[in-house]
């Protein structure tokens, strides 16, 4: 399916599981999560070769999902035109692990997700900084796609994703 989307002219961009998809879709790209896809292969097929193969390229502290994702990208298990991921305090080695893929994916952009100010001891300027990081990411996606991203593009996708999240909450409440 991703290869058909790519053949149709849309760019496929790798992301981390916690990265919100709305900004990717609003930028006109299709996000793919190499880590979820690769770990599914590890878990459901009991194929640990992705993890061991990926560890050969990464820093020693890389977790299993980073290693499996790295190997899946290198093997071309799914198409990917760019790698645009948010990084936060939970994955401080993400830039190294992503930069390791520059020979396979030349367009890489990291969104440096700051700590949040509502938590004690966190950066006071986190919101302002995050807005700057998101703007830089959108500009990176514009360079990739050659398409200008408007505020209405982003608002439309955010509203759609909020509706989907609401439907999931309804389903969860129904299943209780």
């Amino acid at each position: 399916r991703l290869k058909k989307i790519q053949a149709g002219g849309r760019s496929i961009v790798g992301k981390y599981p916690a990265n919100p998809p709305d900004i990717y879709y609003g930028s006109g790209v299709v996000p793919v999560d190499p880590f979820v896809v690769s770990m599914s292969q590890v878990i459901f097929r009991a194929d640990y070769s992705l993890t061991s193969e990926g560890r050969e390229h990464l820093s020693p502290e890389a977790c299993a999902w980073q290693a499996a994702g790295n190997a899946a990208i290198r093997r071309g298990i799914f198409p990917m035109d760019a790698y645009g991921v948010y990084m936060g305090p939970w994955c401080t080695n993400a830039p190294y692990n992503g930069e390791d893929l520059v020979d396979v994916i030349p367009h890489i952009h990291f969104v440096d997700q700051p700590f949040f100010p509502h938590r004690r001891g966190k950066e006071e300027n986190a919101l302002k900084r995050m807005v700057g990081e998101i703007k830089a990411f959108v500009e990176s996606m514009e360079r990739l796609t050659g398409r200008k991203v408007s505020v209405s593009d982003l608002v439309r996708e955010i509203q759609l994703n909020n509706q989907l999240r609401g439907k999931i909450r309804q389903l969860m409440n129904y299943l209780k």
Side-chain angles (χ1 to χ4, degrees), residues 26-41:
S27 298
V29 301
V30 176
V32 64
D33 190 328
F35 312 106
V36 169
V37 172
S38 57
M39 286 306 284
S40 297
Q41 184 165 334

Side-chain angles (χ1 to χ4, degrees), residues 121-159:
K122 304 300 177 188
E123 294 181 27
E124 292 179 21
N125 65 345
L127 181 58
K128 182 179 175 182
R129 184 168 168 201
M130 192 66 203
V131 168
E133 290 289 329
I134 290 172
K135 284 181 179 178
F137 176 69
V138 169
E139 289 168 4
S140 173
M141 293 298 101
E142 288 175 338
R143 284 190 301 279
L144 174 69
T145 64
R147 173 185 171 270
K148 182 77 177 147
V149 178
S150 69
V151 171
S152 63
D153 291 331
L154 296 172
V155 168
R156 182 185 62 249
E157 293 301 328
I158 290 168
Q159 289 173 337

